[in-house]
Amino acid sequence: GKLLVVPMDGSHWFTMQMVVEKLLPKGHEVVVVVPEVSWQLGKPLNFTVKTYSVSHTQEDLNREFKFFIDSQWKTQQESGVLPLLTSPAQGFFELLFSHCRSLFKDKKLVEYLKQSSFDAVFLDPFDVCGLTVAKYFSLPSVVFSRGIFCHYLEEGSQCPSPPSYVPRPILKLTDTMTFKERVWNLLSYMGEHAFCPSFFKTATDIASEVLQTPVTMTDLFSPVSVWLLRTDFTLELPRPVMPNVIHIGGINCHQRKPVSKEFEAYVNASGEHGIVVFSLGSMVSEIPEKKAMEIAEALGRIPQTLLWRYTGTRPSNLAKNTILVKWLPQNDLLGHPKARAFITHSGSHGIYEGICNGVPMVMMPLFGDQMDNAKRMETRGAGVTLNVLEMTADDLENALKTVINNKSYKENIMRLSSLHKDRPIEPLDLAVFWVEYVMRHKGAPHLRPAAHDLTWYQYHSLDVIGFLLAIVLTVVFIVYKSCAYGCRKCFGGKGRVKKSHKSKTH
Amino acid sequence: GKLLVIPIDGSHWLSMLGVIQQLQQKGHEVVVIAPEASIHIKEGSFYTMRKYPVPFQNENVTAAFVELGRSVFDQDPFLLRVVKTYNKVKRDSSMLLSGCSHLLHNAEFMASLEQSHFDALLTDPFLPCGSIVAQYLSLPAVYFLNALPCSLDLEATQCPAPLSYVPKSLSSNTDRMNFLQRVKNMIIALTENFLCRVVYSPYGSLATEILQKEVTVKDLLSPASIWLMRNDFVKDYPRPIMPNMVFIGGINCLQKKALSQEFEAYVNASGEHGIVVFSLGSMVSEIPEKKAMEIAEALGRIPQTVLWRYTGTRPSNLAKNTILVKWLPQNDLLGHPKARAFITHSGSHGIYEGICNGVPMVMMPLFGDQMDNAKRMETRGAGVTLNVLEMTADDLENALKTVINNKSYKENIMRLSSLHKDRPIEPLDLAVFWVEYVMRHKGAPHLRPAAHDLTWYQYHSLDVIGFLLAIVLTVVFIVYKSCAYGCRKCFGGKGRVKKSHKSKTH
């Protein structure tokens, strides 16, 4: 079959690429559409890549992203989607959304895509463009994502999500909430309905322009055939799902390869204390100097050898046990029996590598779903969360010593690991299966709930309830009136006096 | 590991057998317990059978089944039918309840179960006797079921099912309902609990006595770790599901075996017209003579050879093309390329065998979920439903000719078949995996939604909504009052006059 792929830049692409590469040997023809300017998408690939020119440069992209990250460092205390929506760093998202306009400006590319008659679109919905492409070419689509921003999973798949026990994203809540937390959760849910459309305004404007009809985010999401979500219920809290929502969390946790000689030497030199792996992900390249020094100080106080992936300036107080590297084979190191702890920004890739290899974590969430990931791991007793803005060297030292020396952390993460890895089918195979399924059957209409065709009041049966209430009230009213009439007839004047007396007291 | 199995007699047991056999082959020790009076549950080579004494005989059970089969052909007025059914259900269920009570009060037997130290319990929760045993022995339970009456399964799993597009069983609604059908759906939802109480609430009292704590039927059912549902969204309408529900519809559609010489001969003799397979399931042994003659007449009018599984008296007008047999290899016959149609009572086994082998169906639903199965297949254009009480010979003839000669029926069932069989993992393997999973991990608490710990008003956030409404109203009230006060101050007497005027009109 022929598959069109509309990916998203950054770490998102790492796992999506794994699925695409697994599809190639099965004889599918794959075409990936990428913007000319990107971080990860420009790398040479062994399938057809179509690029389109964009109106900004690599520097623009880097600058906007840095601005976004910096604003996250500042406003991190506030939780919930709302601060993110109103953050001054919207420029980064505007830039992402604008890709779609550039894509459709490239008439030659659009014509090529039209002629190619693809079987399906495999897309990352983060920048919305994939959804617009799917709708424009009327192709069945498979979504691949960690989660869906705002309430669009609920609306797009018609998945119920009772705010009483399903926490809204980025609120750092669990599924057991106090009354106050539930109030906050419901308000946040309402806030999403109110503010998300304006956050995505640029994206929906472009989509409306391209499709030549006004569309909302829900219109774009609701035709999706299958949703592949990179999460599972060892990390996620149990909640209602829909038959076309497939969980493939842990897809990136592959077999450990032996580490290179350089790292092997570090690991062997660590002795009985073992190593601690430290990475804040590929998106954070530099930490403010003061913070970096505090971190370095704390790291120097533990007996383990530290492997710190850091591309910024070397902190002057770096201790002997800390080794600064530009890159590290994270999964392979975590899989090494000498790995004692993992300091992570708790991005979903890192968290799943930690779970998969059973390494307790010290988590410094920075933005987005990282807060939630950290909260989930903490409530399961598999890690300690630190507030990266407020933490001192002592905090970090204590956190590290706790997860390393307190046996319960290791036990809990090992239990999660065994639950996570005990599955009837590997997530990568499952993802490949469902992409092929949608290609084979041109969608999955039999998994599409009829709820899509109902209005909101129909969905909640408000019209039916109103109708039944009206009947009940009418019957009660008639019965009451006839009784009253009957009473009056039977008891004559006496009844009338009573009645008038009663109505007076009212 | 060691697995305890508490099945329910009848066709339910037959599909469980495959799972038990597979588990035994994987080296697990399986113990099946059943009442001494059982029809289908017999000794088997791959499990240990332990029977417990009950206050009724084999004959009583057989009689109950025979009567159930016979009663569906009774031509009674609607109300009398309801009363009769109610009485019958009450009688049969109190018989089965007494069996359960005998098991639970059999101290010696229960003690021996306790000493066996099972890892998990596999049971059919249609009658929640196994659920009581699970709680008594503190075993994690795996449920194996089709669906429970009165939406008990939805309630016990905390699975949302919006009444606006999830049809109630026995409502003969589809997932696309008009206003009146939705009203009907709502009314059934409001009343069904009442109808189920007669069967299920005695189990609550029995459990309260045995477990020595107050439990309801929902409390009994809800601790189940995994719900193996014999459903598939090729047949059922898509709706919300929960993470601990595993769908294994089509588990009974095993690999085909070659036909015996007897049936091979029948099939070969059928020539180009092929065969029609006719079975009303193992529960119906006899059809009233008049009805049987009408059926026989209709069957005689089609050119196909009809293989009719029937144990009753031979209708006198049976045509040459109709062969009466006491038993037939249903799945193998349906899998034969010469199978043209399938006349079925639309029990879930038969329906899935029909889907799996791609044979269009003529359905004569008799009771229970069979009505719903027939409705679903009909809306998908894969079969024709007949009312077994009202149908004439002409109706049956026309229905058969339609599904055989109208190509769309064959196309639709073939499409359903290809969707149904296109799955990442076979349902039998999936069922075996999840039973083993629960045995390995002693349950699956991470799949249990927090909704179980909420009251109904908390679940629907009514307390939070009330609280927020109260705040809003208070604010509005205060603002209104202060405005009114301000106005009075500003405009003096004039304002006061207006106000008092206004309050008079109220």
Side-chain angles (χ1 to χ4, degrees):
Chain A
K2 289 186 83 172
L3 183 69
L4 176 61
V5 180
V6 186
M8 161 70 198
D9 205 358
S11 61
H12 285 226
W13 172 237
F14 295 154
T15 39
M16 197 166 177
Q17 190 183 350
M18 287 166 52
V19 179
V20 173
E21 273 172 358
K22 196 95 193 251
L23 282 163
L24 286 175
K26 299 203 160 199
H28 300 297
E29 196 183 316
V30 176
V31 175
V32 183
V33 179
V34 300
E36 199 179 52
V37 171
S38 74
W39 297 305
Q40 309 291 348
L41 300 175
K43 292 183 181 156
L45 300 162
N46 46 359
F47 37 84
T48 316
V49 176
K50 293 277 168 190
T51 53
Y52 54 90
S53 53
V54 288
S55 53
H56 57 83
T57 63
Q58 185 83 43
E59 287 72 45
D60 292 336
L61 185 65
N62 291 344
R63 194 188 54 243
E64 288 295 348
F65 186 68
K66 192 167 182 310
F67 188 56
F68 169 69
I69 294 290
D70 289 348
S71 76
Q72 294 301 314
W73 282 93
K74 280 174 212 135
T75 61
Q76 199 217 25
Q77 273 85 344
E78 300 169 56
S79 59
V81 174
L82 300 188
L84 196 61
L85 297 180
T86 52
S87 107
Q90 262 231 28
F92 172 62
F93 286 93
E94 300 291 314
L95 209 72
L96 284 181
F97 295 153
S98 77
H99 285 170
C100 213
R101 187 172 275 137
S102 309
L103 191 158
F104 280 96
K105 254 192 198 143
D106 191 337
K107 290 283 172 261
K108 239 173 86 187
L109 178 62
V110 172
E111 194 51 35
Y112 166 80
L113 295 178
K114 200 177 266 170
Q115 298 300 325
S116 301
S117 58
F118 293 101
D119 295 311
V121 187
F122 186 37
L123 62 95
D124 188 316
F126 195 79
D127 63 359
V128 190
C129 195
L131 299 167
T132 311
V133 168
K135 210 166 164 89
Y136 183 81
F137 296 107
S138 310
L139 290 174
S141 51
V142 180
V143 153
F144 185 91
S145 181
R146 157 68 174 85
I148 306 293
F149 208 52
C150 284
H151 57 293
Y152 293 118
L153 175 66
E154 284 78 9
E155 286 208 342
S157 71
Q158 293 290 343
C159 180
S161 176
S164 50
Y165 78 99
V166 181
R168 300 311 305 164
I170 334 187
L171 281 178
K172 297 185 229 171
L173 295 175
T174 71
D175 56 352
T176 310
M177 295 180 253
T178 63
F179 181 75
K180 208 176 123 197
E181 285 170 333
R182 288 195 290 116
V183 169
W184 190 231
N185 200 43
L186 183 69
L187 283 176
S188 174
Y189 197 16
M190 287 155 62
E192 283 173 43
H193 279 87
F195 294 106
C196 283
S198 64
F199 179 80
F200 284 103
K201 191 163 182 308
T202 313
T204 47
D205 282 352
I206 293 171
S208 306
E209 203 178 293
V210 168
L211 300 167
Q212 293 183 336
T213 164
V215 289
T216 62
M217 285 300 282
T218 311
D219 296 334
L220 290 174
F221 268 118
S222 69
V224 169
S225 294
V226 168
W227 307 66
L228 297 175
L229 298 187
R230 264 191 311 106
T231 164
D232 81 335
F233 290 103
T234 44
L235 178 67
E236 208 54 54
L237 300 163
R239 51 159 294 169
V241 288
M242 295 304 283
N244 60 346
V245 176
I246 312 292
H247 294 90
I248 51 163
I251 191 169
N252 55 316
C253 180
H254 15 238
Q255 210 57 45
R256 189 174 77 92
K257 293 184 291 288
V259 291
S260 69
K261 271 202 186 140
E262 181 198 353
F263 286 102
E264 187 67 49
Y266 291 143
V267 174
N268 286 339
S270 69
E272 52 158 348
H273 287 298
I275 58 161
V276 170
V277 183
F278 181 8
S279 165
L280 292 183
S282 55
M283 304 299 243
V284 173
S285 49
E286 206 163 343
I287 303 172
E289 200 192 333
K290 201 165 148 260
K291 189 65 36 185
M293 299 233 338
E294 274 200 71
I295 291 175
E297 195 192 325
L299 300 181
R301 296 197 202 143
I302 60 164
Q304 281 76 20
T305 302
L306 269 126
L307 291 169
W308 183 2
R309 183 201 164 286
Y310 187 51
T311 49
T313 334
R314 184 186 171 90
S316 53
N317 61 341
L318 205 70
K320 268 189 189 163
N321 70 336
T322 312
I323 298 152
L324 234 50
V325 288
K326 295 264 176 257
W327 174 88
L328 49 76
Q330 188 167 288
N331 192 45
D332 304 336
L333 284 174
L334 290 173
H336 199 284
K338 283 200 170 178
R340 294 286 181 270
F342 178 29
I343 311 177
T344 171
H345 65 308
S346 56
S348 66
H349 286 113
I351 287 280
Y352 276 110
E353 286 178 358
I355 293 176
C356 171
N357 293 305
V359 182
M361 295 175 239
V362 171
M363 294 162 290
M364 303 178 185
L366 302 174
F367 52 84
D369 64 331
Q370 299 167 4
M371 315 283 175
D372 292 324
N373 295 340
K375 185 74 195 176
R376 308 257 184 289
M377 294 312 289
E378 199 176 44
T379 49
R380 283 165 168 74
V384 171
T385 306
L386 293 174
N387 182 325
V388 77
L389 293 183
E390 291 173 358
M391 72 172 187
T392 62
D394 291 344
D395 291 337
L396 180 55
E397 183 198 348
N398 287 338
L400 277 168
K401 287 192 170 159
T402 309
V403 299
I404 294 170
N405 300 329
N406 186 338
K407 286 277 162 284
S408 77
Y409 286 91
K410 182 71 183 175
E411 281 161 18
N412 286 330
I413 191 84
M414 287 311 286
R415 189 175 47 78
L416 287 183
S417 181
S418 79
L419 285 174
H420 172 68
K421 287 193 282 192
D422 196 352
R423 52 201 169 199
I425 180 166
E426 286 306 303
L428 183 57
D429 296 330
L430 200 58
V432 169
F433 171 84
W434 281 107
V435 174
E436 287 193 292
Y437 186 92
V438 170
M439 291 169 72
R440 267 196 295 273
H441 302 288
K442 311 273 175 228
H446 67 293
L447 296 181
R448 183 180 167 80
H452 284 288
D453 307 323
L454 298 173
T455 62
W456 64 271
Y457 61 86
Q458 285 175 331
Y459 178 89
H460 294 288
S461 294
L462 297 183
D463 50 350
V464 174
I465 293 172
F467 174 71
L468 291 177
L469 266 186
I471 290 182
V472 169
L473 289 180
T474 314
V475 169
V476 167
F477 181 75
I478 292 173
V479 168
Y480 174 77
K481 276 286 169 194
S482 5
C483 281
Y485 181 76
C487 286
R488 244 191 349 256
K489 279 270 164 193
C490 291
F491 301 104
K494 209 179 167 187
R496 184 162 302 179
V497 170
K498 250 189 191 158
K499 180 113 204 298
S500 68
H501 177 71
K502 208 178 177 188
S503 66
K504 227 180 235 167
T505 56
H506 256 277
Chain B
K2 288 181 81 174
L3 180 71
L4 177 62
V5 179
I6 304 184
I8 284 182
D9 209 354
S11 58
H12 290 221
W13 158 247
L14 300 174
S15 50
M16 221 182 210
L17 269 174
V19 180
I20 296 173
Q21 185 162 21
Q22 198 83 12
L23 284 165
Q24 190 260 353
Q25 278 168 13
K26 292 202 154 194
H28 300 293
E29 193 187 331
V30 181
V31 176
V32 178
I33 63 169
E36 268 170 2
S38 302
I39 306 173
H40 290 96
I41 307 174
K42 299 188 184 98
E43 304 277 337
S45 56
F46 45 86
Y47 53 87
T48 315
M49 180 88 239
R50 293 194 54 194
K51 295 211 165 179
Y52 53 88
V54 285
F56 48 85
Q57 306 297 317
N58 240 331
E59 292 76 49
N60 302 88
V61 184
T62 316
F65 278 127
V66 167
E67 205 196 315
L68 182 64
R70 191 177 295 142
S71 66
V72 297
F73 294 102
D74 287 347
Q75 301 262 17
D76 292 323
F78 177 74
L79 268 180
L80 184 61
R81 247 177 106 90
V82 170
V83 171
K84 269 190 172 177
T85 312
Y86 178 87
N87 283 332
K88 173 159 173 53
V89 166
K90 202 169 165 184
R91 205 164 52 238
D92 291 351
S93 68
S94 73
M95 178 178 85
L96 295 170
L97 176 73
S98 75
C100 182
S101 171
H102 261 70
L103 166 66
L104 294 167
H105 285 106
N106 191 335
E108 201 185 326
F109 197 87
M110 292 302 282
S112 76
L113 290 182
E114 196 155 17
Q115 279 153 18
S116 301
H117 298 291
F118 293 104
D119 294 307
L121 181 141
L122 175 66
T123 186
D124 185 331
F126 189 74
L127 294 175
C129 197
S131 315
I132 305 179
V133 176
Q135 292 210 12
Y136 183 79
L137 301 176
S138 312
L139 291 178
V142 179
Y143 286 172
F144 187 93
L145 70 158
N146 209 346
L148 291 182
C150 314
S151 316
L152 273 171
D153 48 342
L154 300 175
E155 218 178 298
T157 50
Q158 293 287 352
C159 183
L163 289 169
S164 47
Y165 76 99
V166 182
K168 285 279 156 197
S169 59
L170 309 183
S171 66
S172 71
N173 283 337
T174 71
D175 60 345
R176 279 156 218 282
M177 297 176 251
N178 61 28
F179 182 73
L180 284 181
Q181 286 169 328
R182 289 196 288 115
V183 169
K184 183 180 174 189
N185 220 34
M186 173 76 74
I187 290 174
I188 292 179
L190 292 173
T191 50
E192 64 181 359
N193 257 331
F194 175 73
L195 295 172
C196 269
R197 210 169 288 162
V198 57
V199 178
Y200 285 96
S201 63
Y203 285 92
S205 352
L206 179 61
T208 304
E209 180 202 332
I210 297 292
L211 304 172
Q212 292 180 346
K213 61 175 181 192
E214 198 62 41
V215 281
T216 62
V217 177
K218 195 185 141 201
D219 299 334
L220 275 182
L221 294 171
S222 67
S225 300
I226 295 290
W227 295 65
L228 299 172
M229 319 279 285
R230 284 194 293 108
N231 290 325
D232 188 289
F233 290 104
V234 166
K235 188 196 90 188
D236 285 306
Y237 303 118
R239 60 176 180 87
I241 56 181
M242 294 305 283
N244 62 348
M245 288 180 174
V246 178
F247 290 83
I248 53 163
I251 192 169
N252 52 315
C253 184
L254 304 168
Q255 283 296 314
K256 278 178 282 291
K257 289 184 288 284
L259 290 172
S260 70
Q261 272 187 353
E262 181 198 355
F263 286 101
E264 187 70 48
Y266 292 143
V267 174
N268 286 339
S270 70
E272 53 159 346
H273 287 300
I275 57 161
V276 170
V277 183
F278 181 10
S279 166
L280 292 183
S282 53
M283 306 286 251
V284 174
S285 48
E286 207 164 344
I287 303 173
E289 203 191 334
K290 202 167 145 258
K291 187 69 29 187
M293 295 215 4
E294 274 200 71
I295 292 176
E297 193 191 325
L299 298 181
R301 295 196 203 144
I302 58 164
Q304 281 76 20
T305 302
V306 181
L307 292 169
W308 183 3
R309 182 204 164 281
Y310 186 51
T311 51
T313 336
R314 186 185 171 87
S316 54
N317 61 340
L318 203 70
K320 268 191 187 163
N321 71 333
T322 311
I323 299 153
L324 232 53
V325 290
K326 294 263 176 257
W327 173 88
L328 49 77
Q330 187 168 289
N331 194 42
D332 303 335
L333 282 173
L334 290 173
H336 197 285
K338 284 202 171 178
R340 294 287 180 269
F342 179 28
I343 312 177
T344 171
H345 65 307
S346 56
S348 66
H349 286 111
I351 289 282
Y352 278 113
E353 287 179 359
I355 295 176
C356 173
N357 294 303
V359 182
M361 295 175 240
V362 171
M363 294 164 289
M364 303 179 186
L366 302 175
F367 44 78
D369 63 337
Q370 298 167 5
M371 314 285 175
D372 296 320
N373 293 338
K375 187 78 195 172
R376 284 161 184 47
M377 295 313 289
E378 200 178 40
T379 50
R380 282 161 170 73
V384 171
T385 307
L386 293 175
N387 182 327
V388 76
L389 292 183
E390 291 172 2
M391 71 173 187
T392 62
D394 292 343
D395 291 337
L396 180 54
E397 183 198 349
N398 287 338
L400 277 169
K401 288 194 172 158
T402 310
V403 301
I404 293 171
N405 300 328
N406 186 337
K407 288 275 164 282
S408 77
Y409 286 92
K410 182 70 183 176
E411 280 162 19
N412 286 329
I413 191 84
M414 287 310 286
R415 190 176 46 79
L416 290 183
S417 183
S418 79
L419 286 171
H420 174 64
K421 288 194 280 191
D422 195 353
R423 50 202 172 200
I425 181 166
E426 286 306 302
L428 180 59
D429 296 335
L430 200 58
V432 169
F433 171 84
W434 282 107
V435 174
E436 285 191 293
Y437 185 95
V438 170
M439 291 168 75
R440 270 195 295 272
H441 301 289
K442 310 274 173 227
H446 66 294
L447 296 181
R448 186 179 166 80
H452 286 292
D453 308 322
L454 298 174
T455 62
W456 63 271
Y457 60 87
Q458 286 175 332
Y459 179 87
H460 293 288
S461 294
L462 296 182
D463 51 348
V464 175
I465 292 171
F467 174 71
L468 292 177
L469 266 184
I471 291 182
V472 170
L473 289 179
T474 313
V475 169
V476 167
F477 181 75
I478 291 173
V479 168
Y480 174 76
K481 276 287 170 195
S482 2
C483 280
Y485 181 75
C487 287
R488 245 193 346 260
K489 280 272 162 192
C490 291
F491 301 103
K494 209 179 167 189
R496 185 162 301 181
V497 170
K498 250 190 191 159
K499 179 108 205 300
S500 67
H501 177 71
K502 206 177 176 188
S503 65
K504 229 179 234 164
T505 55
H506 256 277

